Amino acid sequence: MDKVVFHFVLEFSEIETRIEWGVNKTFTVFSGETEKETFTDDTVENISDAERVATEHFEQMESDFNLEQAIDHADIMRKEY
């Protein structure tokens, strides 16, 4: 097995996020076709662990994205008043 690919889509975005696990401890995150980051998780021993880590990482990305959107929206609302 070369790599395992997990696919996600951020809420309110049509761009697919792909997290590839190279069947070791390293993950690569893509937004569309653009590589965004690489991270390592030493707790990964099997595909179930990799799926858990990828899902948790995506959920954190989604939370960060939603927070950024809320801040941007608040800034826009403040400028209008």
Side-chain angles (χ1 to χ4, degrees), residues 55-81:
T55 300
E56 289 172 357
H57 190 80
F58 174 77
E59 288 171 349
Q60 184 60 53
M61 289 173 55
E62 188 171 44
S63 176
D64 294 346
F65 175 80
N66 289 337
L67 179 60
E68 287 174 18
Q69 293 300 307
I71 291 169
D72 288 348
H73 185 66
D75 287 346
I76 290 168
M77 294 298 291
R78 189 172 6 164
K79 290 177 186 175
E80 290 178 359
Y81 294 101

Side-chain angles (χ1 to χ4, degrees), residues 9-52:
V9 177
L10 287 170
E11 186 177 13
F12 308 116
S13 175
E14 295 178 10
I15 299 173
E16 179 184 67
T17 297
R18 190 172 79 242
I19 301 178
E20 295 182 357
W21 172 54
V23 194
N24 51 28
K25 312 258 184 214
T26 303
F27 295 78
T28 306
V29 180
F30 294 86
S31 180
E33 296 302 314
T34 305
E35 183 176 328
K36 292 295 186 180
E37 68 176 303
T38 300
F39 68 94
T40 302
D41 188 308
D42 292 329
T43 67
V44 176
E45 299 294 332
N46 54 47
I47 194 167
S48 295
D49 292 344
E51 182 176 24
R52 174 187 49 79

